[in-house]
Amino acid sequence: MRLIDPRMPELARCLTLFQYVQAVTGGSVARIDQAGSYAVPSLRGDAFAVHPGSIALRLDAEGIEAAVVARDESTVSVRLLDAEGRTVHQGRLLSEGDRLLAGLAGTVEAGARADGPSTPPEVPAWENGDQLAQLDAVLADGGAARRRAFDRYRGEHREIEAGVVSAVLDHVCSVGLPIGVAVFAPAAMQACGGPVHVTDRTVGGRVFAAIAESSVEIDLAGVRACHLVRSTAAHGPTSAIELDDEDGRCVAVITQFGMVGEDVHAAWEHLAASLPDA
């Protein structure tokens, strides 16, 4: 295992060099998996976009303690670790060329991150912020502080039944309505967007969806609360389904990202409005 520079923009340069990666973010309740190449990762407070065919990764730089190239018997991967040593994002290198390239990545000494300059990005307040401000509030601490003070939120929000998620995914799959999904781990968010090709579920409550080039898995048994939140986005007020785990941390968001067709946005809002209160 080799330490590499976890600071931006050095980390971004390293990740975007790899051509074919299996990128995974999430935990026991929600997980996203996509094979491809990285778009330039963004930081909390920066602009954000989900581009077809690219892995969209957003980070809270203050929460990424280390980045390592890890090797075992059959795989080489780049792992981002938080202060507790947990892997918050993993990019498994699928091509031999990328594995060789990883061997050339510049190394850093343990503790080098703390010596580097740190300028926290300016992040709009979530209370009256847009869609991206809501996502960044989740990225900062799982959204726990935001949820505790959610009565301060200036936009529309209501609690809905978590069980509707599987029905929502089945519906958008059947009618061909594209969606966006973001999955969170501590200090990391990976997102995808596009049509839902396949959905499936298990007896135990796990729901699977193939969305564009990504695979998303949600354990509904681990979801303790579900909220429908509207915030300003490219087409005006846009609804998002937020799934919280038992600790009150948001683990996944289902919404529309960026510019989509007006008919898509209208159909999504019509669907969101029909969802029953908890």
Side-chain angles (χ1 to χ4, degrees):
M1 185 176 292
R2 298 168 55 245
L3 286 168
I4 60 175
D5 200 330
R7 296 166 294 189
M8 291 290 200
E10 290 81 3
L11 179 61
R13 292 194 191 102
C14 177
L15 294 179
T16 54
L17 287 176
F18 302 125
Q19 296 300 303
Y20 196 40
V21 178
Q22 183 179 11
V24 179
T25 301
S28 60
V29 179
R31 167 187 165 111
I32 184 172
D33 187 323
Q34 179 179 348
S37 56
Y38 286 99
V40 177
S42 63
L43 288 175
R44 193 168 68 94
D46 292 344
F48 176 69
V50 177
H51 299 291
S54 295
I55 298 164
L57 186 64
R58 190 168 180 84
L59 303 172
D60 180 3
E62 295 301 301
I64 303 297
E65 186 68 22
V68 301
V69 174
R71 298 173 183 268
D72 58 29
E73 293 180 359
S74 58
T75 63
V76 179
S77 60
V78 177
R79 298 176 186 171
L80 307 185
L81 311 177
D82 68 3
E84 297 180 24
R86 296 173 296 188
T87 298
V88 300
H89 174 79
Q90 175 174 281
R92 187 162 66 91
L93 308 183
L94 300 179
S95 76
E96 186 59 34
D98 285 342
R99 295 185 193 111
L100 293 173
L101 192 61
L104 301 177
T107 59
V108 295
E109 296 296 327
R113 179 186 181 280
D115 297 332
S118 176
T119 304
E122 179 118 4
V123 180
W126 60 266
E127 290 94 332
N128 57 356
D130 61 7
Q131 181 190 67
L132 191 52
Q134 309 309 311
L135 296 174
D136 278 350
V138 175
L139 188 59
D141 68 345
R146 169 177 173 261
R147 196 68 82 206
R148 287 194 297 268
F150 215 41
D151 57 327
R152 298 207 310 259
Y153 181 53
R154 308 289 179 82
E156 301 173 49
H157 59 96
R158 59 188 174 94
E159 192 166 355
I160 61 175
E161 292 288 347
V164 304
V165 171
S166 57
V168 166
L169 293 174
D170 287 345
H171 175 74
V172 298
C173 180
S174 66
V175 302
L177 181 65
I179 59 171
V181 177
V183 173
F184 294 86
M189 177 187 90
Q190 186 176 330
C192 66
V196 180
H197 305 299
V198 178
T199 62
D200 196 8
R201 72 191 75 177
T202 68
V203 174
R206 288 189 174 270
V207 175
F208 302 85
I211 304 168
E213 300 88 3
S214 298
S215 174
V216 173
E217 176 184 349
I218 299 171
D219 180 10
L220 290 180
V223 174
R224 291 294 177 265
C226 186
H227 295 80
L228 188 73
V229 180
R230 297 190 86 207
S231 54
T232 303
H235 289 278
T238 300
S239 298
I241 299 171
E242 300 183 355
L243 306 177
D244 294 354
D245 66 12
E246 61 183 6
D247 297 321
R249 293 175 175 270
C250 181
V251 294
V253 171
I254 305 172
T255 187
Q256 296 289 339
F257 294 125
M259 295 297 295
V260 297
E262 290 186 12
D263 56 336
V264 169
H265 184 266
W268 171 252
E269 290 306 306
H270 179 74
L271 172 61
S274 72
L275 300 178
D277 290 341

